Amino acid sequence: MGCRTLCFGFFCVLFAYCVYTPVPENIEEPWKVRFVDALIKMTSFVGTLFENIGLMKYEEVFSVIAAAHYTKPISDENITVIDTNFSDIPVRLYLPKRKSKRQRPAVIYIHGGIFVFGSCTHQLIFVSIVSEISTSDDLNRWTANKLGAVVVGIDYRLAPQYRFPTALEDCVSASKFFLQDKVLAEYGVDPSRICVTGDSSGGTLAAAVIQLLQNDPEFKDRIKAQALIYPGLQLIDTFLPSYQDYKHGPVLSREVIIKLACLYLTEDETLPQALLKNEHMPEESRHLFKFVNWSDLLPEKYKKNHVYTEPIFGKLNASYVALMDHRLFPLLANDSQLQSLPRTYILTCEHDIIRDDGLIYVTRLRNVGVQVTHDHMEKGIHGALSFTRAPVFLHSGLKMRDKYISWLEENL
């Protein structure tokens, strides 16, 4: 009993410390943000502690917190929801019930979760106590209802059990299956009104899916639009201004994103250590840095007082060819690959460690003539779109959802 009391007291003190950690002054609903930030910081601290003493791996602690269970596809008076498989990949379909005089638009949605967590069909256990609907399910249901669109949520396989490029291959396979004429006809979808969208690492996958489809003769020009919500698009330079300004969060810290994202590639602990020091890229990758050089591509207001320094090359003994692959980091695609991309919506948040990834992509796409709509949430944080219902909801998340839906209405 004494040990339990001591542990409980320790976690209470740790949580209180995390809650009172300062957050940016102009952030919306700071106490709600502090609460979410505190949970993640505490989980990261415990994960590091348990890993150091050999009790549990860092990611396993996050897995306990993020434990999820299957939620049944719940239909309502407006939407029919069903689970099925597209090319052996689990998907959740949202089919509007109201009749339409013309063929419907469609949205292919790819969820986030740093390639390790997240689902379109599963709900976090601690959230399921107060809600039967997951955050992804809620967004997809809202999208289908507001747009009268068919929505496809892809449940791709996750790391560390399945490494790169498994998640991407799952998303590409499911998307290609859906884009077949006979499948589109079955669901009453207009082949000229299809969008691929994703948030966070789902935005990473969505951007890569679009690049691959646009370079596939069979599916070229099948996608009318892409929508990327606070996407992570590179990790070859981990010293971009936003990576420095928000290295401790809120919500997503440098340590958390690097440790978990690396599991998509390897369990080798030297890789995240090298990433944290920005010493992970091989000498032969030097030519790729023109695609992410923030001193040229980032708008002036976001550079602040930062001075560009070139990463240290060739320091990491192990070689990871995937680090130079644009299928992993869509920002590494060259200009000729980007100029064929469809109209694009990108939403970025000011208080987000991967803010600059999205800002640089906006610049590069516009430079090659792609039609881009960019919404920047000055008071926004990473992941806010996941908090649009109880137990924790953020008004900034509702604003993001409305902006996203409004753009889809105008562009599909």
Side-chain angles (χ1 to χ4, degrees):
M1 181 64 71
C3 181
R4 290 181 180 179
T5 302
L6 183 64
C7 289
F8 178 74
F10 169 74
F11 285 114
C12 286
V13 170
L14 179 61
F15 183 75
Y17 168 77
C18 291
V19 164
Y20 283 96
T21 300
V23 296
E25 290 183 1
N26 70 330
I27 220 162
E28 273 193 10
E29 302 174 289
W31 274 103
K32 290 183 181 179
V33 173
R34 281 194 181 97
F35 177 78
V36 174
D37 187 51
L39 286 176
I40 296 174
K41 278 187 168 64
M42 196 164 74
T43 304
S44 181
F45 176 86
V46 173
T48 301
L49 176 65
F50 281 13
E51 188 168 68
N52 287 340
I53 63 177
L55 189 62
M56 190 180 291
K57 289 185 177 181
Y58 182 84
E59 67 274 11
E60 290 174 348
V61 175
F62 273 90
S63 295
V64 170
I65 300 299
H69 71 88
Y70 173 75
T71 57
K72 294 180 180 179
I74 303 172
S75 300
D76 57 33
E77 66 274 14
N78 299 314
I79 306 293
T80 297
V81 184
I82 59 174
D83 287 347
T84 185
N85 291 310
F86 283 175
S87 191
D88 296 325
I89 309 301
V91 299
R92 177 160 287 183
L93 290 177
Y94 302 80
L95 308 172
K97 289 182 178 179
R98 67 178 182 267
K99 293 182 180 180
S100 176
K101 293 182 180 179
R102 60 174 182 162
Q103 290 180 306
R104 301 182 183 279
V107 175
I108 299 172
Y109 170 77
I110 305 175
H111 69 79
I114 324 182
F115 308 108
V116 178
F117 311 117
S119 173
C120 289
T121 60
H122 288 65
Q123 173 68 297
L124 296 179
I125 288 177
F126 81 89
V127 176
S128 67
I129 296 172
V130 294
S131 174
E132 294 182 337
I133 297 175
S134 72
T135 53
S136 294
D137 192 56
D138 185 44
L139 177 63
N140 290 337
R141 188 182 300 270
W142 187 271
T143 304
N145 194 31
K146 287 292 183 180
L147 273 64
V150 172
V151 178
V152 181
I154 302 175
D155 245 11
Y156 56 88
R157 287 171 289 179
L158 301 172
Q161 186 176 0
Y162 300 98
R163 304 198 190 277
F164 173 80
T166 300
L168 176 60
E169 290 174 343
D170 286 356
C171 293
V172 171
S173 294
S175 297
K176 285 184 175 180
F177 183 94
F178 180 67
L179 292 172
Q180 296 177 93
D181 288 331
K182 63 179 181 180
V183 178
L184 296 178
E186 178 183 351
Y187 296 111
V189 172
D190 185 340
S192 67
R193 301 170 66 203
I194 301 171
C195 177
V196 177
T197 184
D199 64 296
S200 192
S201 57
T204 314
L205 291 167
V209 167
I210 290 291
Q211 289 181 8
L212 292 174
L213 291 180
Q214 289 299 96
N215 286 287
D216 186 327
E218 185 179 353
F219 297 96
K220 184 175 174 59
D221 301 324
R222 265 298 172 97
I223 304 298
K224 183 178 183 180
Q226 64 174 332
L228 313 176
I229 313 297
Y230 38 74
L233 300 169
Q234 66 86 37
L235 274 177
I236 70 168
D237 187 349
T238 61
F239 278 1
L240 273 64
S242 62
Y243 283 68
Q244 298 182 60
D245 292 341
Y246 301 110
K247 63 182 178 181
H248 299 302
V251 179
L252 192 61
S253 71
R254 202 157 171 271
E255 180 183 38
V256 169
I257 189 174
I258 286 175
K259 282 190 173 182
L260 294 180
C262 282
L263 293 173
Y264 189 35
L265 286 180
T266 179
E267 285 187 348
D268 184 359
E269 294 181 2
T270 61
L271 180 59
Q273 292 170 6
L275 271 154
L276 287 167
K277 298 176 183 178
N278 213 24
E279 299 176 347
H280 57 292
M281 295 302 292
E283 185 66 39
E284 57 268 28
S285 70
R286 188 180 295 272
H287 68 286
L288 296 173
F289 280 79
K290 63 184 177 184
F291 299 137
V292 299
N293 188 328
W294 62 263
S295 64
D296 294 329
L297 298 167
L298 201 61
E300 287 297 326
K301 67 175 289 188
Y302 301 106
K303 296 178 182 179
K304 300 179 182 178
N305 296 319
H306 294 284
V307 178
Y308 180 79
T309 55
E310 194 176 67
I312 299 174
F313 296 97
K315 191 89 178 277
L316 186 64
N317 290 329
S319 178
Y320 295 98
V321 178
L323 292 174
M324 298 183 288
D325 194 331
H326 71 90
R327 295 178 303 159
L328 177 63
F329 299 138
L331 261 177
L332 302 187
N334 60 45
D335 288 352
S336 63
Q337 292 171 304
L338 298 184
Q339 63 187 7
S340 63
L341 297 182
R343 67 184 67 182
T344 300
Y345 176 77
I346 296 178
L347 185 144
T348 55
C349 296
E350 176 61 30
H351 307 294
D352 181 5
I353 187 171
I354 57 176
R355 175 199 70 194
D356 294 347
D357 290 15
L359 293 174
I360 290 174
Y361 206 42
V362 169
T363 299
R364 289 198 59 207
L365 291 180
R366 284 177 174 166
N367 285 347
V368 296
V370 175
Q371 181 184 332
V372 180
T373 299
H374 176 218
D375 278 329
H376 185 68
M377 308 296 290
E378 290 290 347
K379 299 180 180 181
I381 63 166
H382 189 90
L385 196 61
S386 298
F387 300 99
T388 55
R389 62 186 302 118
V392 179
F393 76 89
L394 298 173
H395 286 99
S396 60
L398 298 176
K399 291 177 184 176
M400 291 178 195
R401 185 183 68 184
D402 290 345
K403 287 178 178 292
Y404 162 68
I405 294 296
S406 177
W407 184 85
L408 288 176
E409 286 177 325
E410 294 174 5
N411 290 273
L412 276 186

